[in-house]
Amino acid sequence: MDVDHINPFIQASRTVMKSVANTDVSLGKVYLKSSPYSSETIVIVVGLMGELRGQVIFSMNKSVALKIASAMMMGMPITELDEMSKSAIAESANMILGNAATLLYDKGIKIEITPPSLMMGDNIQISTPNMKTLCIPLILSTGGTIELDIALVD
């Protein structure tokens, strides 16, 4: 994977998480995942089309999702993931990908993104056949981690 294709996703994640959730993001150890793989209890998938094709998958546990939803709803206490809080979390992924698409466009790489799909459950299995999946752990200053998985078609 080309670092010029990956860095915009990291930069966008940092920018959006700071602006919508008032949290700083540092990076954990980046690694390749083998397909299929298990995920956290909340997964948001956004498709990529155009000059980069594949999927961007955000995985987090419930407590991280609740923190993000609460921050996006002006600090309102959130104890359960209802439709409004799930919508907020999905929108944060949408904002990150929209920001990344703009950064990629500025580098001459044109992509389009699909609307985000949010899934919840225990032991979610993700399969990204015919794609290399790079996992970038996003460590939040407010506690917790979001796994940013970038799966691109070669």
Side-chain angles (χ1 to χ4, degrees):
M1 284 191 197
D2 188 336
V3 70
D4 285 336
H5 297 161
I6 303 305
N7 282 341
F9 295 100
I10 296 169
Q11 184 179 345
S13 297
R14 285 182 159 152
T15 300
V16 171
M17 292 308 294
K18 182 65 175 174
S19 67
V20 303
N22 197 28
T23 187
D24 292 314
V25 172
S26 60
L27 302 181
K29 185 176 169 141
V30 177
Y31 63 98
L32 283 174
K33 283 187 173 178
S34 299
S35 179
Y37 60 91
S38 293
S39 180
E40 291 285 351
T41 55
I42 297 160
V43 174
I44 304 163
V45 180
V46 180
L48 303 176
M49 302 172 292
E51 293 179 34
L52 293 179
R53 295 182 305 121
Q55 300 170 331
V56 176
I57 303 160
F58 297 87
S59 303
M60 66 195 81
N61 64 33
K62 186 177 177 182
S63 67
V64 169
L66 291 171
K67 284 180 194 175
I68 293 169
S70 175
M72 290 185 71
M73 292 193 257
M74 307 303 173
M76 186 171 85
I78 307 292
T79 57
E80 276 307 312
L81 290 172
D82 59 10
E83 288 307 306
M84 181 65 89
S85 55
K86 286 189 264 187
S87 176
I89 298 162
E91 183 55 27
S92 70
N94 196 42
M95 292 168 72
I96 291 169
L97 267 290
N99 192 308
T102 300
L103 293 170
L104 287 163
Y105 182 82
D106 291 344
K107 293 177 177 280
I109 302 165
K110 296 177 181 83
I111 66 165
E112 293 180 34
I113 61 173
T114 65
S117 297
L118 186 142
M119 295 165 269
M120 293 175 49
D122 295 324
N123 196 25
I124 297 173
Q125 295 290 308
I126 297 175
S127 183
T128 54
N130 305 320
M131 291 186 261
K132 289 183 179 161
T133 303
L134 185 69
C135 178
I136 304 163
L138 304 173
I139 302 165
L140 308 179
S141 62
T142 53
T145 300
I146 298 171
E147 286 192 349
L148 168 62
D149 296 333
I150 303 171
L152 298 176
V153 176
D154 286 331

